[in-house]
């Protein structure tokens, strides 16, 4: 699996180099390869398909305009996610809506009872925005701490600390709910 990811990264870096030389087809191929992941992140972040598609389009425009400034083509996926997160934040502000509720993978909900997933999503929605974003990237997108750190331009230690804080808050929330149900 890591070999396949490395190969995909090398292929993406080569597409970036070709696109930076003016090959629009290479840019189109690059974005087509990243589309599924970016759309999944935008949907989880915004919880609105139309807004997610708009943000994906905005990400494509911003990436195309800034392609010449990308200095490390091997990190293109991280760069695209960062652009997408910025576009999603702009969209949220534009719509003046509450912060989004990230999608929590089925496995994280544990399948304890039918409402477990909903309860977990509600608990995640109660986290402060930066912690909610980390939980989304780590558990819904299965990104590594190193990838998250690179994406958010923060030290890995900071990401680990914030993830631990988010998980502690989620455990406290879950414990408080269980206490109310049994009390």
């Amino acid at each position: 699996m890591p070999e396949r990811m490395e190969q995909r990264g090398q292929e993406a870096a080569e597409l970036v180099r070709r696109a930076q030389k003016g090959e629009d087809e290479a840019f189109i191929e690059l974005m087509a390869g990243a589309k599924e992941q970016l759309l999944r992140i935008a949907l989880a972040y915004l919880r609105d398909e139309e807004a997610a598609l708009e943000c994906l389009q905005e990400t494509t425009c911003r990436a195309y305009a800034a392609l010449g400034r990308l200095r490390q083509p091997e990190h293109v996926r991280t760069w695209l996610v960062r652009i997408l997160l910025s576009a999603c934040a702009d969209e949220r502000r534009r719509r003046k809506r509450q912060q989004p509720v990230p999608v929590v993978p089925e496995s994280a909900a544990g399948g304890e009872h039918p409402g477990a997933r909903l309860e977990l999503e509600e608990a995640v929605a109660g986290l402060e925005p930066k912690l909610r974003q980390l939980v989304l990237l780590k558990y819904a997108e299965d990104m590594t701490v190193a990838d998250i750190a690179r994406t958010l331009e923060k030290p890995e230690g900071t990401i680990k600390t914030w993830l631990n804080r988010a998980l502690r808050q989620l455990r406290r929330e879950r414990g408080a709910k269980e206490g109310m149900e049994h009390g």
Side-chain angles (χ1 to χ4, degrees):
M1 184 78 156
E3 290 175 12
R4 178 70 182 127
M5 288 178 65
E6 185 177 325
Q7 182 183 0
R8 279 194 354 231
Q10 291 170 356
E11 290 169 2
E14 180 55 32
L15 288 172
V16 168
R17 288 183 194 95
R18 288 175 34 213
Q20 287 176 326
K21 291 177 184 173
E23 242 184 88
D24 286 343
E25 284 300 316
F27 181 77
I28 292 167
E29 191 176 332
L30 173 71
M31 292 309 295
K35 180 182 178 181
E36 186 179 316
Q37 178 190 21
L38 295 174
L39 186 56
R40 220 177 27 247
I41 292 171
L43 280 169
Y45 203 74
L46 296 169
R47 309 276 297 181
D48 178 317
E49 187 174 358
E50 185 178 324
L53 289 169
E54 245 179 73
C55 284
L56 184 58
Q57 187 174 11
E58 179 65 21
T59 298
T60 301
C61 291
R62 289 180 188 184
Y64 187 78
L67 192 61
R69 295 192 301 268
L70 177 60
R71 297 289 170 234
Q72 294 181 302
E74 64 274 10
H75 297 303
V76 67
R77 292 287 179 125
T78 300
W79 181 71
L80 289 171
V81 169
R82 192 177 315 129
I83 292 170
L84 177 73
L85 291 173
S86 175
C88 287
D90 291 347
E91 178 66 15
R92 249 193 359 247
R93 279 191 294 275
R94 189 183 72 75
R95 290 178 172 228
K96 296 180 180 174
R97 294 189 325 195
Q98 283 189 328
Q99 296 294 328
V101 178
V103 173
V104 179
E106 293 291 335
S107 59
E112 296 164 8
H113 56 83
R117 181 181 172 87
L118 183 59
E119 287 175 17
L120 187 55
E121 285 186 4
E122 287 174 358
V124 170
L127 294 172
E128 63 183 278
K130 72 180 178 191
L131 299 182
R132 189 173 31 245
Q133 186 177 61
L134 287 175
V135 169
L136 166 68
L137 293 175
K138 176 73 176 146
Y139 298 104
E141 282 305 309
D142 201 28
M143 290 177 72
T144 65
V145 169
D147 288 341
I148 295 170
R150 197 170 34 253
T151 299
L152 300 179
E153 298 179 323
K154 300 286 183 194
E156 284 186 38
T158 300
I159 299 303
K160 288 177 184 176
T161 299
W162 289 353
L163 273 172
N164 283 330
R165 184 182 313 154
L167 294 175
R168 275 195 314 270
Q169 286 180 13
L170 289 171
R171 280 189 211 105
R172 272 198 307 270
E173 174 73 22
R174 190 164 186 126
K177 278 199 183 239
E178 286 178 6
M180 287 192 302
E181 290 172 2
H182 298 304

